[in-house]
Amino acid sequence: MIYRNDIRNVAIIAHVDHGKTTLVDALLKQSKIFRENQHVAECVMDSNTLEREKGITIMAKNTAIMFKGVKINIIDTPGHADFSGEVERVISMADGCLLLVDSVEGPMPQTKFVLQQAMLKGLKPILVINKIDKKEARIQEVIKLTQDLFLELATSAEQLDFPILYASGRNGIAITEFGEEGKNIFPILDCILEKVPPPQIAEGPFQMLVTNLDYNSHKGKISIGRIWRGKISPRDYVTCLNVDGDSSQYQVDEVFTYMGLARLNVDIAEAGDIVAITGVDKVSIGDTIVDPANSEALPRISIGEPTIEMTFGVNTSPFAGREGQYCTTRQLRDRLYRELEKNLSLRVQDTDSADTFLVKGRGELHLSILIETMRREGYEFEISKPEAITKIVDGKLMEPVESLIINVGEEYIGTLTEKLSSRQAQLTDMYNDGKGNVRLEFKIPTKGLIGFRGQFLTATRGEGVMNTIFLGYEPWKGVITSTRSGVLVASEAGMALSYGIAGAQERGETFIEPNTMVYEGMIVGINPRMQDIPINICKEKKKTNIRSSTSDIAVKLTPAIKLSLEQAIDFINDDELVEVTPENIRLRKKLLTYNERLRDKSCRRKEQE
């Protein structure tokens, strides 16, 4: 066997917020990738605006550093379960992995998922206990729990023989023995050189699996992946093999490798390199780019199935077309199907309605990131309430089930248990650390999680942390009745006025401020009772011979409730929609007029009888 000892390919995997991107920052800075006087932001790999806003990694990215004459390609992966498709997509490029585990939280649901993926790919693991500077760190207990996880998931005896390092990514230190004084992050790099096997080089013509795509307005599509065999240079002819087995021939324009945050133009790249090439226009993730003389495809990337679905439709509200740049069916359809090229966990289907599309994803956050991205690009559309994806197996209706892990103060146990019992959740484990903190583990249908995150944050006053991971499909457990109360629905179109809002606030809490344009059927507030109430929020105080219309202009209003996109998606019921535009997020009824809603309710009652 031939190996390239001048390269190591390693993926950094962990549960969300266990410090992957911060550790990559330390590796980049201490390897002298940046100039001494160069300003470098925290979490420099999280270059996407949404990643910086939400504080999580959404897209897998790769970088590279030089250490002791060896080039180390580093693949930074997301830790959130909703973006686990990114891990499945890129992990095949690596030969080893750094598994980061928080010194306080220990192995979490996504830790098990990413480690399982690494084991199945045969990667050499290195365990890094991160955030050792925390006062609450429980190092030995976390190591024992992680060893149990390795024992459960290992596919070979060699995978149980893994080194353990201790690190603080924020402080930029790593040590091999707990208790030592850390000086720098180099022990991790030394361990990578020693333990991660170099790329194995197969003999034969060029062969590369496309694991990521980028786009440049001048260069066109950029295909990113690892070269498994042969060499590639600019002006070489290649063949692209797609999922259907069809082939197309292209000439490569440019070849890039990675160093730090930059792509370097090179004259030749060889097997083992992670490269980006231009000139291959019609290519998708999972396609194989090969030498035309030997059109042999590599195994395609295997991605897990989505668990929830929702509809995306052309905006049909009276305000349609006012705020968005892209509003038509063709534009919406093209954008959704274009997303499939990079987002392998996503599924898009046409429906019976030409203006509506069924979109399936891994979770509410997965789909809400897509919605927010499209909104910022200038798209205007409407979305429905998410639903769990069911399927028929051996004549039985099956539904997705997930593991829900909650970390809260013990004073919230009763409230959360009551809320989750109505959502068909089953308590499977409970751990109390003796310091007032509790970890609760539930098995819950995916449909029970829809709309729960907002209630969870309210119930725990923002002090709790919840994580989920998909377990599998189980027999349908029945319908979960809605626990949400009714809403206040605008009965007139026009501009909301203080007098009308003051009247609405006597019935409930409102979502809008004075001088906001509304239309009939728009949801303007929430009613404490279960029924929906039509209300004229545009009502003004008429002038009389007793007082002027402006005498009570200083009426005191309760501040409006502002819902984020995720909160709006959680809030709506089956008969409601979220109208998404670049400027606003509005809630509305599917049927805008009061008479239409009454007629629909009457028809549904007759059908049930």
Side-chain angles (χ1 to χ4, degrees):
M1 254 341 142
I2 304 173
Y3 294 91
R4 279 194 66 180
N5 289 311
D6 62 332
I7 284 184
R8 298 292 189 276
N9 295 320
V10 61
I12 298 186
I13 58 176
H15 185 79
V16 65
D17 201 30
H18 278 200
K20 298 178 302 303
T21 307
T22 305
L23 184 68
V24 173
D25 280 359
L27 293 171
L28 289 171
K29 291 173 183 176
Q30 295 188 27
S31 59
K32 305 299 182 183
I33 288 295
F34 308 111
R35 300 188 312 273
E36 291 292 337
N37 62 346
Q38 184 175 350
H39 173 72
V40 181
E42 289 188 7
C43 297
V44 66
M45 291 293 287
D46 287 345
S47 54
N48 185 293
T49 305
L50 281 174
E51 290 178 322
R52 290 196 172 279
E53 287 180 9
K54 296 185 177 294
I56 59 173
T57 301
I58 295 172
M59 302 292 293
K61 307 172 194 71
N62 46 293
T63 183
I65 59 177
M66 292 296 298
F67 184 71
K68 294 183 178 180
V70 178
K71 182 178 182 180
I72 302 176
N73 286 309
I74 300 171
I75 305 163
D76 185 21
T77 63
H80 200 287
D82 282 24
F83 308 109
S84 51
E86 292 289 303
V87 180
E88 296 168 304
R89 175 169 64 80
V90 301
I91 205 168
S92 61
M93 291 195 291
D95 299 301
C97 65
L98 295 179
L99 176 68
L100 268 65
V101 179
D102 190 292
S103 63
V104 179
E105 294 184 353
M108 296 292 280
Q110 188 70 358
T111 309
K112 181 176 181 180
F113 173 82
V114 294
L115 180 59
Q116 185 177 38
Q117 293 299 313
M119 295 294 196
L120 291 174
K121 297 293 183 183
L123 304 189
K124 177 66 179 178
I126 298 172
L127 175 61
V128 179
I129 305 298
N130 197 26
K131 304 185 182 181
I132 58 172
D133 53 316
K134 283 188 172 182
K135 293 181 180 179
E136 304 86 359
R138 47 191 186 112
I139 308 293
Q140 296 305 320
E141 187 177 350
V142 167
I143 290 175
K144 183 179 181 301
L145 292 170
T146 310
Q147 288 172 334
D148 292 342
L149 188 61
F150 270 88
L151 194 62
E152 177 185 348
L153 300 177
T155 57
S156 64
E158 291 79 12
Q159 290 176 330
L160 295 175
D161 181 22
F162 55 89
I164 302 176
L165 298 174
Y166 309 89
S168 171
R170 183 178 295 277
N171 297 326
I173 60 169
I175 52 178
T176 54
E177 296 292 336
F178 186 67
E180 293 180 353
E181 183 179 354
K183 298 179 179 179
N184 50 43
I185 208 72
F186 293 159
I188 290 179
L189 297 176
D190 285 324
C191 190
I192 289 173
L193 297 187
E194 180 184 351
K195 298 295 183 180
V196 175
Q200 181 179 319
I201 308 303
E203 296 182 359
F206 175 73
Q207 190 181 46
M208 165 185 160
L209 182 67
V210 179
T211 54
N212 201 357
L213 291 175
D214 201 353
Y215 182 80
N216 183 281
S217 57
H218 299 291
K219 304 178 190 301
K221 265 190 182 178
I222 302 174
S223 306
I224 302 169
R226 173 175 167 175
I227 301 176
W228 291 96
R229 193 175 66 191
K231 303 176 181 180
I232 187 70
S233 298
R235 320 316 299 171
D236 283 354
Y237 285 95
V238 294
T239 298
C240 180
L241 306 174
N242 64 19
V243 64
D244 299 319
D246 299 331
S247 61
S248 304
Q249 190 164 324
Y250 301 93
Q251 186 178 31
V252 175
D253 290 335
E254 294 177 289
V255 179
F256 300 90
T257 58
Y258 289 86
M259 183 53 64
L261 303 181
R263 289 186 183 137
L264 304 180
N265 206 318
V266 296
D267 294 329
I268 188 169
E270 303 179 12
D273 281 324
I274 294 177
V275 299
I277 64 175
T278 64
V280 183
D281 295 330
K282 294 183 179 179
V283 61
S284 300
I285 293 175
D287 290 355
T288 303
I289 300 176
V290 296
D291 187 285
N294 190 350
S295 299
E296 179 186 350
L298 288 163
R300 293 191 72 83
I301 300 169
S302 176
I303 299 291
E305 293 297 313
T307 56
I308 70 166
E309 62 186 16
M310 63 196 306
T311 61
F312 284 50
V314 174
N315 190 8
T316 57
S317 84
F319 293 169
R322 293 186 184 183
E323 299 169 359
Q325 183 180 357
Y326 308 108
C327 312
T328 67
T329 303
R330 179 186 60 81
Q331 291 168 335
L332 179 61
R333 187 181 193 279
D334 289 348
R335 178 61 181 85
L336 289 173
Y337 278 92
R338 192 165 66 248
E339 182 70 19
L340 296 178
E341 295 179 358
K342 295 190 296 183
N343 199 336
L344 295 192
S345 302
L346 201 71
R347 303 286 187 274
V348 178
Q349 296 176 5
D350 293 339
T351 64
D352 296 335
S353 171
D355 296 335
T356 306
F357 307 94
L358 186 65
V359 181
K360 303 178 181 181
R362 284 283 181 93
E364 286 181 88
L365 183 61
H366 183 206
L367 293 179
S368 68
I369 290 294
L370 171 62
I371 295 165
E372 183 63 30
T373 302
M374 292 175 60
R375 174 182 176 232
R376 296 185 183 198
E377 291 173 358
Y379 285 84
E380 181 179 314
F381 52 98
E382 59 190 26
I383 54 177
S384 69
K385 182 180 178 65
E387 295 180 358
I389 298 174
T390 59
K391 59 183 181 180
I392 304 295
V393 179
D394 298 330
K396 293 183 178 179
L397 182 63
M398 309 289 281
E399 66 175 341
V401 175
E402 302 189 37
S403 173
L404 170 65
I405 289 83
I406 293 175
N407 291 285
V408 291
E410 55 187 12
E411 65 269 24
Y412 301 118
I413 295 176
T415 303
L416 292 175
T417 304
E418 180 182 355
K419 288 183 179 297
L420 287 166
S421 62
S422 64
R423 293 172 174 268
Q424 301 177 349
Q426 298 176 346
L427 182 66
T428 57
D429 195 12
M430 183 170 67
Y431 168 77
N432 192 319
D433 65 358
K435 300 176 182 178
N437 302 310
V438 181
R439 174 181 291 188
L440 304 170
E441 296 188 16
F442 294 87
K443 187 165 76 170
I444 182 171
T446 299
K447 66 175 184 283
L449 286 170
I450 296 173
F452 174 67
R453 188 175 296 274
Q455 292 186 9
F456 171 77
L457 292 174
T458 302
T460 61
R461 301 176 185 177
E463 297 177 359
V465 178
M466 60 174 279
N467 294 284
T468 62
I469 191 161
F470 176 66
L471 294 177
Y473 278 82
E474 293 186 3
W476 174 259
K477 295 178 173 57
V479 177
I480 296 176
T481 56
S482 174
T483 56
R484 199 203 74 183
S485 57
V487 290
L488 306 178
V489 186
S491 60
E492 302 286 341
M495 181 180 289
L497 300 174
S498 298
Y499 184 73
I501 293 176
Q505 289 184 348
E506 294 177 1
R507 301 291 190 92
E509 298 174 284
T510 53
F511 295 155
I512 63 171
E513 309 243 342
N515 301 324
T516 301
M517 295 299 297
V518 300
Y519 54 81
E520 184 181 4
M522 181 172 159
I523 296 173
V524 295
I526 184 167
N527 177 26
R529 297 184 173 86
M530 294 306 295
Q531 72 270 22
D532 297 339
I533 301 178
I535 196 157
N536 183 8
I537 207 161
C538 304
K539 187 177 181 181
E540 62 178 331
K541 188 168 187 178
K542 302 298 183 183
K543 184 171 77 170
T544 68
N545 61 347
I546 300 173
R547 58 172 67 96
S548 71
S549 61
T550 58
S551 62
D552 291 298
I553 199 167
V555 61
K556 293 183 179 180
L557 299 176
T558 304
I561 298 173
K562 296 295 182 182
L563 298 181
S564 66
L565 176 62
E566 288 87 354
Q567 290 171 331
I569 293 172
D570 284 347
F571 180 81
I572 59 174
N573 271 336
D574 295 335
D575 64 336
E576 296 163 357
L577 298 170
V578 179
E579 179 188 349
V580 180
T581 77
E583 298 180 16
N584 289 290
I585 295 171
R586 302 185 183 94
L587 307 181
R588 53 160 288 188
K589 289 291 184 178
K590 286 183 179 179
L591 302 175
L592 294 178
T593 68
Y594 180 66
N595 287 336
E596 286 178 324
R597 295 195 294 275
L598 280 180
R599 194 179 302 117
D600 180 67
K601 191 179 295 184
S602 176
C603 291
R604 281 190 279 113
R605 191 183 298 115
K606 288 181 180 178
E607 287 177 1
Q608 292 173 357
E609 292 173 355

